């Protein structure tokens, strides 16, 4: 019996202790869980607030940096940049337009503040009721790396009592400005307090359940005292079995049926009651957990919990909204469900730092189920049981808002740049107009631009000071209607209509011209230009632009229109007037006849270059007077432009025209005198008659131009009537140019090679490749005939490429057949040289043929200086760096200059044969060549003499130090097979 009583005591005591343990554990766990969540929520909200405020200030400072860059590029002065920066931040708002920014200098002087009442004054001594030096602390925190936060007390707008406030400030070093913003902390505290109250209410309910379990434990422990001595061996075994089931987690056990003593019955009933209470406790815990899960599910942030093996064990509904995955698709998976491979490679959440107890906050791109990338802010920490709690906040819209703000900023900057470009364009147009109308120059003192900025939402407009100088606006007015009342009544409706059409998006640019009343009591013409700024919904919110006084331009336009048919220099009719008169004369009918004389002054460019354009204009005036004086009323004289004139006779034939030409040439035989300087002006004339030469103005001009070309070709200061043969020659050139296009494919082009030898030893030095054309019908065509055609039509580029390839192939053959020093020189036109792909083409030829650069020489002419000299020099330097020699051909016939010789990267100059022909054994005839040779050697260049035809010429050239000779005395141009034979003969003679 004693043993049974001991068993009863032990079992009952154990049950009581177990109930006590469960109750106290429930109390501690519930309280700790709720308190941890409340504290974590408070910290997250405070950190999120700090991060948002810091981000807004950094965005504002980025605007200041953009304006500073415009100042550094010279688009704005420092004062203009500072003023623009202050205006931008003064208008900038965030959080729905509630919060704003302020700027203070480092000495405490206020730059920008809402209300503007303290701008320009020092706020350095500002202190709150707690003794905090507000401005001094903000300035000190702003100068820390990355800026800093300041807590202080400050009254809200309209209140006298102070409230707690927290601000973030950052130093903008270029201007020594402190930029900041902040807000009162009441909202954060109220939200935190509401959440804490809700959590505490749930916690109290859970604590009540745990307290009941504790009381049950005390009851069971006391019960064990009076159950002693009862016979309970059998029931105890059954209770032990039930307890094992309960310890395994099965709380819904069957009640114990007890047979025996009353004490045993009471103990069993107590055990049954304990089981019921345990089930109630489990139910309460499950409800608490459900409430906790409900809080998690209803949270505004996405939340997941990761197990120790980094697998998702719980996720809320918000994470479904962010990721596109339902919770069932996430549970059991790792982070690969939420992040793409490239993000996973960067190790998001940093588990190594979480394991050390740190809280990790990052911005990452979350991979949505549909493939989109969503920018989220993650905040993760490791809990006591080593599970990972992670919050996800979708900040995509915030990023987009930042991007829109930057876009609006860029559009505003573009507007200012466009206005600056407009001012520059107006200035350039004014300069050109002043130059073209020197005789009618109108003085304009400075620009008359009025700059304006219209806040469309507030319907408030600001004008620059120029406005009050031009129009009688009320002083200090910002009312747009004050300007509209000044618009001419006839223009008002049209101005309003065109402005509204632009704001509605019907036009891409806004420009308008209208009249406004001026301070002088007269209407002035205004050119209005502007640019509108739209918000994200497409609503116009701001517009800026300029008003320009164009009254003088309007008057000038009228004057120009009046002079549209008159040449401004000579007073003669201009081209427009002449064409109109010619069309009218031809249109008189089939019986009408007449003559068109196309005149061009000979070498008039030399007069301008020698005496200046002002002198040349005065000569043109005298030319116009003589032309008109000889013609009198018989002809219509006009100036087409430059030194070109036309004379039109109506109702006369060839004989009368010839009489006029005789009188005209007698008149031009005498010199022209300008400013005590006498000069002679020759005149070349081409004549076309109608109707025999044509009955269309363009056709007559074309044929008169052909005749003029022939007059100049005949020696100038001559006249020629149009003949059909002239058109035939042009047609022949056109036909020949067309056939030249097919000459390569038809294998009509081929190369000959003329040797160059050492002037002293007569040993072969190099070969010059010469292009030839064997036409199937016309026979051999001279290069002087088809090379200019190739230049004019652009065929010189593909032909030149073919020549270079053929010459390189031949040079490679010579090297392989025993002449390793063989060098082939190829002529290159300026048009070829200036091709962007020329250097690459040369490299390609060398690579394709295997020819060493040292076996190639390229010859250019002096006409290279007439094009883009710096570009030509750059390409020639590249060729020489490749190892290719460069020669200047036909030296002395073009634009020879010591400057060009010094600038051009050359190896060789080739003296033109015109100088060589003058050498006949007398020393004075060779002075020029001797001087050229000496100059070239001083510059480190080799000299080649072209066109050597006699032994005497060769000896004189060698005696004067010439390096190489080329000409028929050495050898005529040879076919490729003849070249090899000639080289063999020279080698045998050298032995």
């Amino acid at each position: 019996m004693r043993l049974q009583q001991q068993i009863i005591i032990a079992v009952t005591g154990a049950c009581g202790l177990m109930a006590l343990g469960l109750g106290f554990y429930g109390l501690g766990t519930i309280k700790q869980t709720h308190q941890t969540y409340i504290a974590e929520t408070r910290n997250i909200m405070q950190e999120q607030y700090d991060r948002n405020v810091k981000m807004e200030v950094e965005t504002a400072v980025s605007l200041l940096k953009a304006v500073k860059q415009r100042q550094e590029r010279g688009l704005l002065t420092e004062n203009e940049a500072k003023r623009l920066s202050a205006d931008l931040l003064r208008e900038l708002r965030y959080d729905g337009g509630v919060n704003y920014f302020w700027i203070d200098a480092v000495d405490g002087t206020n730059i920008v503040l809402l209300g503007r009442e303290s701008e320009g004054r020092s706020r350095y001594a500002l202190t709150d009721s707690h003794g905090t030096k507000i401005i001094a602390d903000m300035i000190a925190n702003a100068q820390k790396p990355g800026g800093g936060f300041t807590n202080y007390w400050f009254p809200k707008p309209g209140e006298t009592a102070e409230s707690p406030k927290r601000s973030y400030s950052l130093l903008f070093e270029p201007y020594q400005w402190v930029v900041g913003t902040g807000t009162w902390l009441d909202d954060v505290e109220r939200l935190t307090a509401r959440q804490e109250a809700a959590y505490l209410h749930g916690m109290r309910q859970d604590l009540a359940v745990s307290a009941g379990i504790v009381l049950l434990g005390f009851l069971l422990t006391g019960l064990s005292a009076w159950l002693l001595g009862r016979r309970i061996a059998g029931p105890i075994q059954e209770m032990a079995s039930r307890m094992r089931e309960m310890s395994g987690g099965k709380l819904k056990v069957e009640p114990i049926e007890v047979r025996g003593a009353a004490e045993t019955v009471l103990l069993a009933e107590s055990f049954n009651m304990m089981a019921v209470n345990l089930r109630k406790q489990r139910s309460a815990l499950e409800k608490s957990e459900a409430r906790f899960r409900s809080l998690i599910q209803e949270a505004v942030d996405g939340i997941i919990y990761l197990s120790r093996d980094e697998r998702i064990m719980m996720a809320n509904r918000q994470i479904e909204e962010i990721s596109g995955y339902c919770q069932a698709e996430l549970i059991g998976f790792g982070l690969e469900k939420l992040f793409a491979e490239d993000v996973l490679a960067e190790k998001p959440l940093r588990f190594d730092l979480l394991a050390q107890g740190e809280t990790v906050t990052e911005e990452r791109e979350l991979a949505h189920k549909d493939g989109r990338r969503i920018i989220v802010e993650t905040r993760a920490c490791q809990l006591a049981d080593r599970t990972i709690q992670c919050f996800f906040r979708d900040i995509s819209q915030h990023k987009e808002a930042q991007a829109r703000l930057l876009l609006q900023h860029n559009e505003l900057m573009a507007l200012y740049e466009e206005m600056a470009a407009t001012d520059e364009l107006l200035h350039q147009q004014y300069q050109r107009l002043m130059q073209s109308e020197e005789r009618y120059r109108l003085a304009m003192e400075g620009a008359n631009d009025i700059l304006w900025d219209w806040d469309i939402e507030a319907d408030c407009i600001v004008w620059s000071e120029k406005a009050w100088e031009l129009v009688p606006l009320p002083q200090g007015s910002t009312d747009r209607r004050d300007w509209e009342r000044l618009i001419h009544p006839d223009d008002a409706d049209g101005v309003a209509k065109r402005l509204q059409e632009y704001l509605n998006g019907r036009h891409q640019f806004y420009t308008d011209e209208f009249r406004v009343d001026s301070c002088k009591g007269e209407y002035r013409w205004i050119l209005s230009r502007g640019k509108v700024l739209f918000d994200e919904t497409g609503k116009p919110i701001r517009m800026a632009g300029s008003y320009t006084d164009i009254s003088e331009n309007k008057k000038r336009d009228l004057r120009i229109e009046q002079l549209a048919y008159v040449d401004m220099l000579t007073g003669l009719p201009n081209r427009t007037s002449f064409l109109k008169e010619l069309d009218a004369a031809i249109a008189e009918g089939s019986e009408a006849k007449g003559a068109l004389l196309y005149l061009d002054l000979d070498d008039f460019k030399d007069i301008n270059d020698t005496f200046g354009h002002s002198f040349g204009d005065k000569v043109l005036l005298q030319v116009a007077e003589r032309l008109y004086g000889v013609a009198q009323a018989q002809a219509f004289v006009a100036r087409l432009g430059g030194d070109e004139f036309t004379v039109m006779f109506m109702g006369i034939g060839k004989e009368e025209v010839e009489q006029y030409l005789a009188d005209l040439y007698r008149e031009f035989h005498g010199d022209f005198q300008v400013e005590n300087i006498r000069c002679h002006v020759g005149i070349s004339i081409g004549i076309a008659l109608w109707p025999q030469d044509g009955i269309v103005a363009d056709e007559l001009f074309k044929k008169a131009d052909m005749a003029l070309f022939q007059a100049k070709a005949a020696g100038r200061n001559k006249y020629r009537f149009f003949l059909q043969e002239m058109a035939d020659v042009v047609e022949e050139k056109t036909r020949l140019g067309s056939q030249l296009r097919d000459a390569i494919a038809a294998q009509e082009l081929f190369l000959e090679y003329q040797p160059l030898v050492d002037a002293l030893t007569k040993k072969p030095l190099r070969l010059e490749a010469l292009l030839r054309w064997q036409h199937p019908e016309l026979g051999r065509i001279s290069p002087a005939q088809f090379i200019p055609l190739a230049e004019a039509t652009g065929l010189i580029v593909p032909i030149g490429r073919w020549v270079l390839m053929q010459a390189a192939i031949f040079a490679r053959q010579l090297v392989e057949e025993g002449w390793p020093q063989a060098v082939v020189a190829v002529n290159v036109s300026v048009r070829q040289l200036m091709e962007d792909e020329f250097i690459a083409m040369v490299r390609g030829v060398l690579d394709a043929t295997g020819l060493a650069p040292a076996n190639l020489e390229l010859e250019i002419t002096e006409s290279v200086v007439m094009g883009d000299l710096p570009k030509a020099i750059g390409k020639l330097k590249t060729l020489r760096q490749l190892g290719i020699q460069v020669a200047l051909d036909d030296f002395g016939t073009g634009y020879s200059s010591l400057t060009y010789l010094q600038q051009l990267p050359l190896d060789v100059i080739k003296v033109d044969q015109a100088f060589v022909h003058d050498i006949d054994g007398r020393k004075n005839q060779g002075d020029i060549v001797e001087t050229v040779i000496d100059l070239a050697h001083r510059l480190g260049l080799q000299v080649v003499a072209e066109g050597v035809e006699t032994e005497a010429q060769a000896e004189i050239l060698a005696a004067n130090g010439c390096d190489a000779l080329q000409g028929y005395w050495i050898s005529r141009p040879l076919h490729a097979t003849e070249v090899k034979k000639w080289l063999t003969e020279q080698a045998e003679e050298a032995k």
Side-chain angles (χ1 to χ4, degrees):
M1 189 67 175
R2 185 174 299 173
L3 177 61
Q4 294 176 349
Q5 293 175 350
Q6 291 175 350
I7 293 173
I8 292 171
I9 294 171
V11 170
T12 306
C15 291
L17 292 175
M18 183 174 66
L20 286 173
L22 288 174
F24 283 114
Y25 174 76
L27 288 172
T29 301
I30 293 170
K31 184 175 182 180
Q32 180 181 2
T33 300
H34 283 276
Q35 289 178 345
T36 300
Y37 187 78
I38 291 172
E40 189 66 26
T41 301
R42 181 186 297 270
N43 291 337
I44 290 173
M45 293 179 66
Q46 184 62 51
E47 289 178 4
Q48 182 63 36
Y49 162 78
D50 289 349
R51 191 158 48 251
N52 290 343
V53 170
K54 182 178 179 182
M55 186 181 304
E56 297 295 345
V57 173
E58 290 174 346
T59 301
V61 170
S62 69
L63 291 180
L64 302 186
K65 292 180 179 178
V67 176
K68 177 63 176 174
Q69 290 175 356
R70 285 177 50 77
Q71 174 192 336
E72 293 172 350
R73 295 200 303 270
L75 300 177
L76 297 172
T77 65
E78 182 174 350
N79 289 335
E80 291 173 339
K82 287 183 176 179
R83 186 165 59 253
L84 176 58
S85 299
D87 290 343
L88 287 173
L89 261 65
R90 188 179 292 111
E91 301 298 329
L92 198 59
R93 298 288 188 273
Y94 66 96
D95 280 351
V98 175
N99 290 329
Y100 58 91
F101 297 91
W102 48 260
I103 303 176
D104 284 319
V106 292
D107 62 357
T109 301
N110 181 246
I111 308 298
V112 169
L113 188 64
L114 184 67
R116 308 179 68 168
E117 62 276 356
S118 64
E119 291 185 3
R121 294 184 299 173
S122 176
R123 302 197 301 159
Y124 197 82
L126 185 62
T127 307
D128 65 10
S129 59
H130 293 69
T132 302
K133 295 181 179 179
I134 300 175
I135 303 302
D137 288 354
M138 288 181 179
I139 293 173
N141 290 329
Q143 297 181 19
K144 296 177 181 179
F149 287 90
T150 304
N151 292 326
Y152 56 97
W153 293 75
F154 201 76
K156 294 182 177 180
E159 298 180 5
T160 57
E162 294 181 341
S163 300
K165 192 173 184 179
R166 180 174 175 85
S167 293
Y168 174 75
S169 54
L170 182 63
L171 178 65
F172 182 57
E173 294 185 358
Y175 296 156
Q176 289 295 290
W177 283 0
V178 175
V179 182
T181 187
T183 189
W184 284 269
L185 301 176
D186 297 6
D187 295 339
V188 179
E189 293 297 330
R190 282 195 296 271
L191 180 60
T192 304
R194 285 198 301 270
Q195 291 189 356
E196 184 176 358
Y199 295 153
L200 289 175
H201 177 72
M203 185 180 71
R204 292 190 188 99
Q205 295 177 349
D206 296 337
L207 289 175
V209 174
S210 298
I213 296 175
V214 171
L215 291 175
L216 175 64
F218 281 115
L219 177 63
L220 291 176
T221 305
L223 182 64
S224 63
W226 63 274
L227 288 178
L228 297 173
R230 297 291 184 179
R231 293 174 295 174
I232 56 175
I236 286 176
Q237 292 179 355
E238 190 173 354
M239 281 192 292
S241 174
R242 299 288 194 273
M243 290 177 65
R244 282 195 297 272
E245 294 178 4
M246 292 173 64
S247 65
K250 182 180 179 182
L251 297 181
K252 295 183 179 181
V253 298
E254 293 294 327
I256 300 175
E257 295 182 3
V258 181
R259 297 174 302 278
E263 293 85 351
T264 304
V265 173
L266 181 60
L267 179 60
E269 290 176 349
S270 298
F271 177 81
N272 290 340
M273 185 182 299
M274 180 192 71
V276 170
N277 288 334
L278 285 176
R279 285 197 295 273
K280 290 181 178 179
Q281 180 192 32
R282 177 65 176 268
S283 177
L285 287 174
E286 289 176 350
K287 290 180 180 178
S288 175
E289 183 179 359
R291 284 195 295 272
F292 179 74
R293 287 181 176 272
S294 177
L295 289 174
I296 294 295
Q297 294 296 336
E298 298 301 326
V300 295
D301 292 338
I303 303 175
I304 64 170
Y305 285 86
L306 299 174
S307 62
R308 296 180 181 181
D309 59 353
E310 300 178 7
R311 295 291 172 181
I312 299 174
M313 52 189 292
M314 187 175 77
N316 68 346
R317 281 193 291 271
Q318 188 60 27
I319 201 68
E320 294 180 340
E321 296 288 336
I322 297 176
S323 68
Y325 293 99
C326 65
Q327 298 182 39
E329 293 178 292
L330 294 175
I331 302 301
F333 287 92
L335 295 180
E336 68 274 4
K337 274 286 186 179
L338 297 177
F339 298 108
E341 292 184 2
D342 56 332
V343 180
L344 289 173
E346 299 176 2
K347 298 182 178 179
L349 303 190
R350 295 298 305 274
F351 290 104
D352 55 336
L353 298 180
L354 295 176
Q356 299 174 15
E358 295 188 23
T359 298
V360 177
T361 301
E362 301 174 308
E363 285 187 8
R364 296 290 185 180
E365 284 191 346
L366 187 142
H368 195 274
K369 184 177 181 180
D370 61 10
R372 290 182 291 120
R373 294 289 187 97
I374 299 175
I375 303 176
V376 295
E377 181 184 70
T378 65
R379 187 175 186 276
C381 62
Q382 182 171 288
L383 302 180
D385 60 355
R386 291 174 58 188
T387 60
I388 305 297
Q389 181 185 50
C390 185
F391 295 83
F392 292 82
R393 173 163 295 182
D394 186 351
I395 60 173
S396 300
Q397 292 184 350
H398 180 74
K399 290 294 185 180
E400 291 175 0
Q402 282 185 320
R404 285 196 300 271
L405 181 62
L406 180 60
L407 177 61
Q408 292 174 354
H409 162 69
N410 292 337
E411 288 181 351
L412 187 58
M413 292 301 101
L415 171 61
Y416 278 99
E417 291 177 358
E418 182 179 336
M419 292 173 62
T422 301
D423 290 340
E424 179 64 21
L425 178 60
L426 288 174
H427 180 70
Q428 293 176 0
Q429 291 175 345
Y430 169 71
Q431 292 295 332
R432 288 197 296 269
L433 189 59
M434 292 290 287
Q435 294 173 2
S436 64
E437 296 189 28
E438 291 185 359
R439 296 177 60 190
Y440 306 97
R441 180 176 301 173
L442 299 173
M444 292 181 64
E445 296 296 332
N448 289 329
D449 288 358
I450 299 171
L451 302 181
W452 51 269
D453 189 349
W454 177 25
D455 186 341
I456 299 177
E457 293 181 319
D459 199 14
C460 176
I461 190 167
V462 179
W463 294 281
S464 64
E465 293 297 328
K466 285 283 186 181
W468 283 269
E469 297 178 11
L470 180 64
V471 295
L473 278 171
Q475 193 63 33
S477 171
T478 59
D479 191 343
R480 183 166 56 92
R481 290 182 291 274
D482 289 337
W483 175 270
E484 292 175 346
R485 282 190 285 268
L486 299 174
I487 300 176
H488 194 287
D490 294 342
D491 299 341
D493 292 340
V495 171
K497 178 182 177 182
R498 288 184 289 273
L499 176 60
Q500 192 59 47
E501 287 177 349
Y502 172 69
L503 293 177
N504 292 338
R506 294 182 59 184
H507 304 292
Q508 186 176 3
F509 303 101
Y510 173 71
T511 59
D512 199 3
E513 294 182 6
F514 50 87
R515 292 163 289 176
V516 297
D517 193 9
S518 70
C519 294
K520 298 180 180 180
E522 62 179 6
Y523 281 100
R524 306 286 292 179
W525 277 97
I526 294 295
L527 170 62
S528 176
R529 284 177 296 224
K531 178 77 173 180
V532 71
L533 183 64
F534 298 94
D535 63 11
E536 63 274 7
T537 66
K539 177 184 176 183
I541 59 174
R542 197 181 192 96
M543 186 174 179
S546 64
Y547 294 135
T548 305
D549 184 355
I550 59 171
S551 302
E552 300 303 325
N553 291 349
K554 283 289 185 179
K555 295 177 182 178
R556 187 174 297 107
D557 290 343
L558 180 60
R559 174 64 175 163
I560 292 173
E561 184 176 355
Q562 293 172 348
L563 298 177
Y565 295 100
V566 178
D567 177 59
M568 296 175 60
L569 175 63
T570 63
L572 294 174
N574 61 11
R575 176 186 290 270
T576 302
S577 179
F578 182 80
L579 290 174
K580 182 178 179 182
E581 194 72 20
L582 178 59
D583 286 335
I586 295 174
E588 289 185 2
S590 58
E591 299 299 326
K593 64 177 181 177
L596 169 62
L597 282 65
Y598 195 172
L599 300 87
D600 183 78
L601 304 185
D602 296 332
D603 301 320
F604 183 72
K605 181 178 181 299
D606 295 339
I607 294 177
N608 274 335
D609 293 344
T610 304
F611 302 107
H613 288 275
S614 179
F615 182 92
D617 288 345
K618 294 175 182 178
V619 172
L620 290 174
L621 281 171
Q622 293 189 22
V623 168
E625 291 173 358
R626 296 192 186 189
L627 288 173
Y628 189 78
V630 175
Q632 295 299 327
Q634 302 176 21
F636 187 86
V637 182
R639 181 187 178 214
L640 300 183
D643 60 346
E644 296 180 348
F645 295 84
T646 57
V647 178
M648 180 179 64
F649 289 96
M650 293 170 285
I652 67 174
K654 183 176 180 180
E655 294 77 11
E656 293 90 340
V657 173
E658 288 179 331
Q659 181 59 48
Y660 168 78
L661 292 171
D663 296 338
L664 182 63
Y665 274 105
R666 279 195 299 269
E667 185 68 22
F668 271 76
H669 183 71
D671 290 340
F672 289 75
Q673 182 169 336
V674 177
E675 299 174 352
N676 297 322
I677 299 175
R678 304 178 69 86
C679 64
H680 177 74
V681 177
I683 186 168
S684 298
I685 306 173
I687 307 107
L689 305 174
W690 78 82
Q692 55 265 46
D693 292 335
I695 56 173
V696 178
D698 289 342
E699 182 182 4
L700 287 171
F701 256 117
K702 179 179 177 181
K703 292 182 176 180
D705 186 36
M706 291 181 187
L708 175 61
F709 179 80
Q710 292 299 322
K712 285 185 172 292
R716 304 194 176 193
N717 203 32
K718 292 178 173 56
Y719 68 86
R720 290 289 184 270
F721 284 90
F722 172 76
L723 298 173
Q724 185 58 41
E725 291 82 355
M726 299 177 185
D728 294 340
V729 170
V730 174
E731 183 180 352
E732 176 63 21
K733 286 185 178 180
T734 304
R735 185 177 63 83
L736 199 62
S738 177
Q739 294 176 343
L740 183 58
R741 296 180 182 275
D742 302 324
I744 298 178
Q747 298 183 350
E748 297 171 9
L749 299 180
F750 62 94
L751 297 182
E752 291 184 338
Y753 301 89
Q754 187 170 31
L756 285 77
V757 299
D758 185 278
L760 293 176
T761 64
K762 306 303 183 291
K763 290 183 178 180
L765 294 179
R766 61 181 69 90
L767 302 164
E768 180 179 0
L770 302 173
L771 181 61
R772 299 291 186 255
W773 183 9
Q774 184 68 34
H775 194 280
E777 299 176 0
L778 304 177
R780 179 169 290 197
I781 299 176
S782 170
Q785 188 175 359
F786 72 83
I787 292 296
L789 275 176
E791 290 274 7
T793 58
L795 290 173
I796 194 66
V797 175
I799 291 177
R801 187 185 308 115
W802 178 84
V803 170
L804 183 61
M805 178 63 77
Q806 297 303 312
I809 291 173
F810 180 64
R812 177 65 179 174
Q813 291 177 358
L814 293 179
V815 171
E816 292 176 347
E817 294 178 11
W819 288 282
Q821 303 302 321
V823 177
V824 175
V826 179
N827 289 279
V828 176
S829 73
V830 177
R831 186 159 184 173
Q832 285 178 269
L833 184 66
M834 293 305 173
E835 286 286 317
D836 292 337
E837 303 299 326
F838 178 73
I839 298 297
M841 184 270 291
V842 173
R843 285 196 180 109
V845 169
L846 294 177
D847 292 342
T849 60
L851 183 67
N855 295 106
L856 179 63
E857 178 181 286
L858 298 180
E859 295 186 4
I860 62 170
T861 62
E862 295 178 8
S863 58
V864 71
V865 303
M866 298 298 290
D868 188 345
L869 182 59
K871 183 177 181 181
I873 290 175
K875 292 197 172 187
L876 295 178
K877 285 182 178 179
T878 302
L879 291 172
R880 294 188 70 199
Q881 290 170 357
L882 292 175
I884 299 171
Q885 298 184 67
V886 179
L888 181 62
D889 198 11
D890 299 333
F891 180 77
T893 61
Y895 312 94
S896 303
S897 166
L898 293 179
T899 302
Y900 296 140
L901 282 182
Q902 289 177 319
Q903 290 181 335
L904 291 172
L906 302 171
D907 299 289
V908 179
I909 64 171
K910 301 182 72 173
V911 179
D912 189 77
Q913 59 185 357
F915 296 100
V916 176
H917 288 167
D918 291 336
I919 300 174
D920 59 2
R922 291 175 295 175
K923 184 179 184 304
N924 61 330
Q925 296 293 338
D927 287 346
I928 295 178
V929 175
E930 181 181 357
T931 302
V932 171
I933 294 172
D934 182 63
L935 173 63
H937 286 169
R938 289 177 182 272
L939 295 175
L941 304 175
Q942 298 181 25
V943 180
V944 176
E946 297 181 302
V948 178
E949 297 181 351
T950 66
E951 184 176 358
Q953 292 172 349
E955 291 177 355
I956 293 174
L957 290 168
N960 288 328
C962 185
D963 298 294
L965 307 176
Q966 178 182 1
Y968 273 77
W969 184 73
I970 307 300
S971 172
R972 62 175 178 79
L974 305 172
H975 287 284
T977 54
E978 295 175 326
V979 168
K980 297 176 182 179
K981 180 179 179 182
W982 183 86
L983 289 173
T984 302
E985 292 174 352
Q986 297 301 311
E988 292 176 353
E989 290 181 5
K991 295 179 181 179

